[in-house]
Amino acid sequence: MTLHATEPAAAADAVLDREETISRDELEALQLSRLQHTVAYAYDRVPLYKRKFDEAGVHPTDLRELADLGKFPFTTKEDLRLEYPFGMFAVPQHEVARIHASSGTTGRATVVGYTKKDLADWAKLVARSLRASGVRPGMKVHNAYGYGLFTGGMGAHAGAEALGCTVIPISGGQTERQITLIQDFKPDAILATPTYLLTIADAMMKQGIDPASTSLKYAVLGAEPWTEEMRHELETTMNIKACDIYGLSEVMGPGVAGEAVETQDGSHIWEDHFRPEIIDAFDPTKVLGDGEHGELVFTSLTKEALPIIRYRTKDLTRLLPGTARPAHRRMGRITGRSDDMIILRGVNLFPSQIEEIALRIPELSPHFQLELTRPEGQRMDQLTVKIERRESVSAEVVASAAKVLQQQIKIHVGSSCTVNVVEPGSLERSNGKLRRTYDMRPKA
Ligand code: DLL
């Protein structure tokens, strides 16, 4: 059987879920009733919530309006770790249809579970996100998010299937094979982390394939911070439209929020299933208003196996009014995670700030690493930015580009650093979530 390429339909052709088009008032009424149900359900079924609510002196009946959510205690990754593996589950094990877990590289793994209904809701929200980003039923979707306990692969897979796409479940890695399959199967869309898509584009160029010449038209990228500059880089080298998808395992997985291709102005949080808040990361008692920068907090509104109340994501961003989906607020780009923040001689710095600055310098590539050291006998920490020059640029002209990068970092971030321009292909490539920072300072 031959599969015929589907022409991408205009965004206006998409059939949206009813909840995508309801008014803000209707949405908030739905949120309130779902929230009241969720807090009562969590209190009745999960001992940790009962204990925490009791300690805080709040009861589910105190939730009379949306603002009352602020009276309830937060949930943290530490809570999930302490309840390892299944202590946070609100249903008996035989009702848990699937389990995912974080890699646990920074401690005990955090385990999350889903009932059949949770899986169906998740697939619906990923489908909604993909559709918002331009993907349509009948399209071929190359899914390069990692399969396994990580929520990216299977979460994106189920969503693309639910949307009615043909899914190519390649997972992450084996970049040569990815390229062969992109050329042979001619997918319309690719799902990957932004840095892994960069790895693919880079490997194509090395093979003499123009990344702009493939069948790909759409990319739906997430699972790590990325910038507008990276969007521009990927869109121009690959001749695609690249949109953001956001999510986290503790709250669901990919598809908590998704970006609309017609506006490309940040991901819409699917507020019929999640109630977002922004808090002051340093004083969490302060709930901040829309537009203010802080830490993103989520409460699930429909989850059965793992209801989550006021989960502190550590992701730093702000809430913005809805545009393409007016009732659903958008989130600004994640500037970083509070635990990825580099503190260098008293200055706070995120790798995404370096990405933003470096990509504006045409001689430099998007492949960079940050190294933090404290040289023997010195008390001052040092930042070294290792960055590859572009293939097309000769080694001679990069000295001035390095100087520009150093100056721009000083101006925009406030840190002095050393810039080390290295040969194309010499830095490690991403296979999924890329590690940018190597902190070699002696531990205090
Ligand atoms: O990364 C879920 C996911 C998979 C999202 C595929 C999108 C696509 P975790 O492994 O639990 O889940 O990591 C969650 O990744 O708290 C953010 O710090 C970061 N993150 C996820 N999406 C984005 C994004 C998945 N679009 C953590 N922009 C989150 C920036 C993101 N950071």
Side-chain angles (χ1 to χ4, degrees), residues 77 102 145 150-153 192 221-226 244-250 253-255 267 313 315 331 333-334 337 340 433:
K77 201 176 189 78
S102 75
Y145 285 118
F150 171 53
T151 53
L221 311 175
E224 62 183 0
W226 59 304
D244 184 54
I245 185 165
Y246 169 85
L248 64 166
S249 326
E250 295 85 351
S267 285
T313 65
D315 290 328
M331 48 194 276
R333 275 207 187 272
I334 305 280
R337 293 177 55 77
D340 284 350
K433 291 183 193 249

Side-chain angles (χ1 to χ4, degrees), residues 114 122 126 151-152 155 246-257 274 303:
Y114 306 79
W122 184 14
V126 173
T151 53
Y246 169 85
L248 64 166
S249 326
E250 295 85 351
V251 174
M252 180 175 77
V256 171
F274 309 100
K303 280 174 68 185

Side-chain angles (χ1 to χ4, degrees), residues 28-321:
E28 288 193 351
L30 182 68
Q31 284 187 327
L32 181 60
S33 65
R34 288 182 167 177
L35 200 53
Q36 285 168 330
H37 166 79
T38 298
V39 289
Y41 176 88
Y43 185 80
D44 292 343
R45 290 177 175 236
V46 182
L48 173 119
Y49 285 123
K50 176 160 188 345
R51 197 171 65 239
K52 287 189 126 192
F53 290 12
D54 288 349
E55 275 167 18
V58 281
H59 189 267
T61 50
D62 295 332
L63 204 143
R64 290 185 206 93
E65 51 183 89
L66 288 172
D68 291 332
L69 182 58
K71 299 175 184 159
F72 287 78
F74 294 110
T75 308
T76 62
K77 201 176 189 78
E78 196 48 35
D79 290 322
L80 272 89
R81 286 199 175 128
L82 290 173
E83 295 298 320
Y84 176 89
F86 306 140
M88 300 286 287
F89 287 12
V91 295
Q93 186 260 303
H94 68 268
E95 287 179 31
V96 178
R98 193 176 326 142
I99 286 168
H100 281 281
S102 75
S103 61
T105 43
T106 54
R108 246 182 189 178
T110 45
V111 179
V112 295
Y114 306 79
T115 63
K116 280 213 161 75
K117 178 178 174 294
D118 292 334
L119 290 177
D121 282 345
W122 184 14
K124 181 188 77 177
L125 293 181
V126 173
R128 191 191 279 182
S129 307
L130 297 178
R131 186 179 55 216
S133 301
V135 183
R136 291 289 174 274
M139 283 188 181
K140 277 171 278 168
V141 173
H142 181 103
N143 184 16
Y145 285 118
Y147 282 65
L149 286 173
F150 171 53
T151 53
M154 293 189 73
H157 181 111
E161 264 185 12
L163 184 59
C165 299
T166 307
V167 190
I168 301 155
I170 177 102
S171 192
Q174 294 191 292
T175 308
E176 304 303 306
R177 188 139 186 260
Q178 305 254 358
I179 295 172
T180 307
L181 296 194
I182 290 171
Q183 294 213 289
D184 295 348
F185 293 179
K186 303 197 174 7
D188 305 275
I190 186 161
L191 317 180
T193 64
T195 57
Y196 189 56
L197 188 57
L198 198 62
T199 300
I200 294 177
D202 192 53
M204 282 180 175
M205 288 189 266
K206 282 215 177 67
Q207 289 184 25
I209 300 165
D210 177 3
S213 70
T214 74
S215 56
L216 290 169
K217 298 174 203 79
Y218 299 100
V220 188
L221 311 175
E224 62 183 0
W226 59 304
T227 58
E228 282 308 311
E229 286 70 18
M230 182 70 99
R231 186 194 325 254
H232 178 75
E233 169 82 22
L234 290 167
E235 289 196 335
T236 47
T237 36
M238 300 203 70
N239 188 24
I240 50 167
K241 281 281 187 190
C243 286
D244 184 54
I245 185 165
Y246 169 85
L248 64 166
S249 326
E250 295 85 351
V251 174
M252 180 175 77
V256 171
E259 190 172 42
V261 69
E262 64 270 35
T263 44
Q264 289 191 309
D265 55 357
S267 285
H268 284 274
I269 297 167
W270 304 125
E271 287 204 60
D272 47 335
H273 291 267
F274 309 100
R275 171 78 184 175
E277 296 169 90
I278 296 283
I279 57 163
D280 182 330
F282 302 102
D283 178 3
T285 58
K286 282 195 194 135
V287 176
L288 303 180
D290 287 5
E292 291 187 86
H293 282 277
E295 178 182 336
L296 189 55
V297 169
F298 280 110
T299 301
S300 67
L301 302 177
T302 51
K303 280 174 68 185
E304 292 181 338
L306 194 103
I308 195 107
I309 311 292
R310 305 196 81 205
Y311 184 71
R312 290 190 61 172
T313 65
K314 304 226 168 147
D315 290 328
L316 303 173
T317 184
R318 60 191 177 134
L319 293 175
L320 299 164

